[in-house]
Amino acid sequence: MTLWLLPGACLLVALLVRLRRTYSIVRVDGDSMAPALADGDRVLARRVPPSRLRRDQIAVVVDRFSGGAGFVIKRIAALPGDRVPEIAKDVIADERVPEGRLVLLGDNPSTSFDSRALGFFAMSDVHAVTVRKVTALTQDEGEG
Amino acid sequence: MKTIGTLADRALSWVIPAERASAVTCPYDGYSYWTRCYYNPGCSSGYEKTKRTCYCPPNGGCFWYKYPSRKCC
């Protein structure tokens, strides 16, 4: 019986390490992804290589614009080779999205600060894509 | 079923690291940017551009001003 304990424990540790490397739980701050995601929502996000990114996925991206070291969360509107959406042509003159770049838009255009004002995002800055919402914690657990 | 889901999510929250991501809204009251120049035959240059401005009312929540200003390039 005890013979199985050590391999079992190792397997569990390996599983936990893999889970922690692959997934993260992301708390959404702000309303620019409403109605899909509201301020305070928590989502399960999975790290994926750039080749696995798809249009309409919600991406968690390194924030290069506000000077912070955090992340922003926006929807992937166009991938390399796609036509640049008309709505994103405020500052983008290109007809097609160049290699290694993305067009990211918030679901709430009246408030969102995204590719409409910031232009292309780098594909290499994508940290993860969301998988699903996570049930809200109670008030005490949710803070911090 | 819902209880199982809630318990599973709670277990995930213990195991998986938590991060924050900002669904960034327009940054602050008065922030603005000019779009690139669009074709407009009404301008002598043939092009016009639009200024989009962020408005943050005192009761909170910033948004892009609904009626942007325009001028010829």
Side-chain angles (χ1 to χ4, degrees):
Chain A
M1 180 67 184
T2 49
L3 270 179
W4 290 101
L5 273 178
L6 190 60
C10 287
L11 198 68
L12 190 65
V13 169
L15 182 72
L16 284 178
V17 168
R18 189 178 162 79
L19 262 178
R20 289 179 64 90
R21 281 189 182 163
T22 311
Y23 293 94
S24 55
I25 288 178
V26 176
R27 186 184 189 281
V28 179
D29 290 332
D31 291 322
S32 78
M33 284 304 290
L37 298 174
D39 185 33
D41 275 353
R42 295 160 73 247
V43 289
L44 182 65
R46 186 181 209 279
R47 290 183 186 89
V48 293
S51 60
R52 298 272 300 275
L53 297 176
R54 299 286 178 265
R55 219 172 298 118
D56 290 331
Q57 283 178 325
I58 297 176
V60 179
V61 184
V62 177
D63 182 2
R64 302 266 179 219
F65 299 99
S66 66
F71 298 104
V72 295
I73 187 164
K74 297 286 171 189
R75 193 177 293 278
I76 299 175
L79 292 161
D82 290 348
R83 288 186 75 88
V84 174
E86 280 303 316
I87 194 173
K89 286 189 169 176
D90 268 6
V91 296
I92 299 174
D94 308 52
E95 278 302 311
R96 303 246 170 215
V97 181
E99 206 54 45
R101 302 278 161 176
L102 291 171
V103 174
L104 298 178
L105 298 175
D107 286 1
N108 184 358
S110 66
T111 67
S112 184
F113 193 46
D114 49 33
S115 284
R116 274 168 284 215
L118 302 169
F120 294 120
F121 285 73
M123 254 180 141
S124 56
D125 282 346
V126 175
H127 174 67
V129 293
T130 62
V131 179
R132 66 175 175 85
K133 276 193 199 180
V134 176
T135 315
L137 294 176
T138 59
Q139 189 89 31
D140 295 339
E141 291 169 305
E143 297 305 318
Chain B
M1 200 63 192
K2 195 181 170 192
T3 311
I4 293 172
T6 306
L7 286 174
D9 282 351
R10 192 157 292 204
L12 275 179
S13 303
W14 287 330
V15 173
I16 295 174
E19 289 164 331
R20 295 175 92 103
S22 175
V24 275
T25 57
C26 67
Y28 54 85
D29 193 44
Y31 171 89
S32 65
Y33 71 94
W34 285 101
T35 67
R36 66 194 178 87
C37 296
Y38 289 91
Y39 177 68
N40 181 352
C43 289
S44 58
S45 63
Y47 294 91
E48 71 160 14
K49 59 183 178 180
T50 301
K51 186 184 189 184
R52 301 204 190 279
T53 306
C54 184
Y55 176 57
C56 304
N59 54 347
C62 297
F63 54 86
W64 295 108
Y65 191 58
K66 202 174 174 183
Y67 304 104
S69 57
R70 300 168 195 279
K71 76 174 180 186
C72 293
C73 295

